[in-house]
Amino acid sequence: MADKVPIFKVQILVASSKLKNGDAHLKGLKDYDYYQEAGYYKYTVGASANYNEIYRLRKQVLDKFPEAFIIAFRNGQRMDVQEAVREFRRLRIKG
């Protein structure tokens, strides 16, 4: 069941090549992750099945990363965020 729930993350930036630790583009951020898609490295912070947690995290990073937005994954595959949010709400109501 746990691998079926959507995992939300905040995407903060995209780069055409992998950034080194401490790269200026990361603006001092140390706790980040990335995934590759369409030849780009897409950098994220946070990872939670709780949409509200990630929503708050996005608000926290907006000053450094004004373009930050929420994305979602299921089983390691990117998925539609609106669908993930609907599923999150449905599971919370049931659970």
Side-chain angles (χ1 to χ4, degrees):
M1 171 70 178
D3 61 342
K4 294 194 184 327
V5 299
I7 299 298
F8 298 96
K9 300 181 178 193
V10 179
Q11 185 168 312
I12 53 170
L13 68 107
V14 175
S16 55
S17 60
K18 189 174 176 188
L19 301 178
K20 290 182 171 60
N21 285 341
D23 188 287
H25 290 94
L26 295 167
K27 302 180 182 178
L29 214 57
K30 294 193 179 3
D31 192 20
Y32 61 86
D33 199 5
Y34 71 89
Y35 66 100
Q36 288 180 264
E37 184 179 74
Y40 289 97
Y41 292 83
K42 299 187 176 188
Y43 287 82
T44 63
V45 291
S48 176
N50 186 330
Y51 174 78
N52 297 323
E53 273 181 33
I54 295 302
Y55 181 83
R56 287 190 293 273
L57 177 60
R58 178 184 170 268
K59 287 174 86 171
Q60 290 172 16
V61 300
L62 277 179
D63 58 329
K64 286 186 178 183
F65 302 97
E67 318 279 304
F69 60 96
I70 296 172
I71 59 174
F73 290 85
R74 178 186 286 125
N75 297 326
Q77 298 296 311
R78 182 114 180 247
M79 69 179 289
D80 179 73
V81 174
Q82 298 308 320
E83 179 186 331
V85 170
R86 281 192 299 273
E87 198 168 312
F88 166 71
R89 290 188 176 133
R90 192 181 76 242
L91 291 171
R92 279 190 43 163
I93 292 167
K94 278 186 183 175

